[in-house]
Amino acid sequence: MAQFLKLISYPLSVIHYLVFGLLLLIFHPIQWLAFNLFGRKAHRIAIVALNIGLTYSLYFLFSRVKFINKYKIPKGVPIIIVSNHQSTYDIPPMYMHFRKHFPNFVSKIELGKGIPSVSYNLRHADNVLIDRKDPRQAIETLMKFGQKIEKENLVAVIFPEGTRSKTAVPKPFRESGLKMMVKKAPSSYIIPLSINNSWRLVRKGTFPLGIGIKVTMEAHEPIKSDSMSFEALLEKTEGTIKEALHKLNPSH
């Protein structure tokens, strides 16, 4: 059975990449038209539609994403989604399932150019691009981002690990980026988000991809940012995510 799955993973990966790439190419001009002719709201609709398509493209790998959220997301306040990070396939389901709130991402500056649809979105929506080689630029950018989400009640997403984990076990959370955002957005709520099994899609690299993977994403109870010290907030957020992942992967 293992040999059969390995064999079919090659053609299925090719089909998936063709669909994935085609969606990126098609939606690049759609984004441009939406943004320049109809404005920010139309651009957001285009982005959500793109990411719904990208999420469903996993079906060509016989894989799927299950999203769990038992809590109401506060309205009329800034939201900071804090998540572990396992692969690039973490992003589309976030856009899909948080589409009513439209998440904006903290991303590395290298992604801001050269990738159809992705780079355009990162530059023209309310995302921020940070240079990890320039700590001063990163901190200043995150402080401005915190001020923006506080003023406009935006939803932001940050991955405090700093880089993707290649296993079910998250890397230690770095405090600096989230600390700056919370400081500048004191009325915000933190939503811990645990992502499980996304890493298995790219366990063997980008080709062939894993097949038959069941990815789960769970949004946990929102936490008022100023309800405790930042140290306690970070500990609770990180602990919530790690505990959820440990329940799903008790051997890790």
Side-chain angles (χ1 to χ4, degrees):
M1 185 63 176
Q3 281 297 109
F4 174 72
L5 291 176
K6 182 179 180 181
L7 183 64
I8 66 170
S9 68
Y10 288 91
L12 291 180
S13 295
V14 171
I15 295 170
H16 164 75
Y17 276 130
L18 286 173
V19 173
F20 197 96
L22 189 60
L23 284 168
L24 294 181
L25 290 173
I26 290 172
F27 272 89
H28 190 86
I30 290 175
Q31 277 192 73
W32 187 92
L33 290 169
F35 184 82
N36 288 283
L37 298 182
F38 303 105
R40 189 174 298 274
K41 186 175 181 180
H43 181 232
R44 288 183 172 186
I45 292 172
I47 289 300
V48 168
L50 165 64
N51 282 280
I52 289 174
L54 295 177
T55 300
Y56 280 118
S57 72
L58 289 173
Y59 281 18
F60 290 100
L61 301 171
F62 299 118
S63 299
R64 62 185 178 86
V65 180
K66 181 181 180 181
F67 191 88
I68 304 167
N69 183 17
K70 301 176 182 178
Y71 304 95
K72 289 185 178 180
I73 297 175
K75 296 181 180 179
V77 294
I79 300 292
I80 303 175
I81 299 170
V82 180
S83 176
N84 64 305
H85 195 15
Q86 295 186 343
S87 79
T88 55
Y89 292 96
D90 298 341
I91 311 300
M94 288 192 191
Y95 275 112
M96 178 175 172
H97 292 286
F98 288 109
R99 57 187 177 273
K100 291 183 180 179
H101 308 276
F102 197 79
N104 301 279
F105 290 79
V106 176
S107 301
K108 57 185 180 181
I109 199 167
E110 293 85 352
L111 298 178
K113 56 183 178 180
I115 309 173
S117 285
V118 174
S119 298
Y120 189 89
N121 174 42
L122 288 175
R123 294 195 312 271
H124 292 84
D126 291 312
N127 309 285
V128 292
L129 298 167
I130 60 172
D131 187 349
R132 293 187 294 187
K133 298 176 183 178
D134 186 349
R136 182 175 179 180
Q137 181 271 351
I139 293 299
E140 289 179 353
T141 300
L142 288 171
M143 289 177 69
K144 292 178 181 177
F145 191 40
Q147 292 173 337
K148 186 177 181 66
I149 66 173
E150 174 75 11
K151 182 179 179 181
E152 300 180 22
N153 291 329
L154 299 177
V155 175
V157 179
I158 187 170
F159 302 109
E161 291 167 281
T163 186
R164 288 170 241 162
S165 172
K166 297 180 180 180
T167 69
V169 181
K171 296 181 179 181
F173 282 13
R174 301 177 182 179
E175 70 169 46
S176 56
L178 180 59
K179 188 173 186 178
M180 289 299 101
M181 291 172 64
V182 168
K183 181 179 179 180
K184 295 298 180 180
S187 66
S188 63
Y189 279 78
I190 301 293
I191 297 181
L193 183 73
S194 54
I195 299 175
N196 184 57
N197 267 355
S198 173
W199 68 277
R200 292 185 182 276
L201 289 164
V202 291
R203 177 172 47 182
K204 297 179 181 179
T206 55
F207 190 84
L209 294 165
I211 61 173
I213 308 300
K214 295 181 180 179
V215 179
T216 58
M217 304 178 74
E218 182 174 4
H220 302 279
E221 186 174 11
I223 310 166
K224 187 75 166 67
S225 294
D226 61 2
S227 64
M228 59 189 75
S229 68
F230 176 78
E231 290 72 22
L233 179 67
L234 180 65
E235 183 179 355
K236 183 173 182 178
T237 302
E238 184 175 9
T240 297
I241 293 171
K242 288 186 174 180
E243 182 181 357
L245 293 174
H246 180 70
K247 288 180 179 178
L248 296 170
N249 305 278
S251 61
H252 289 80

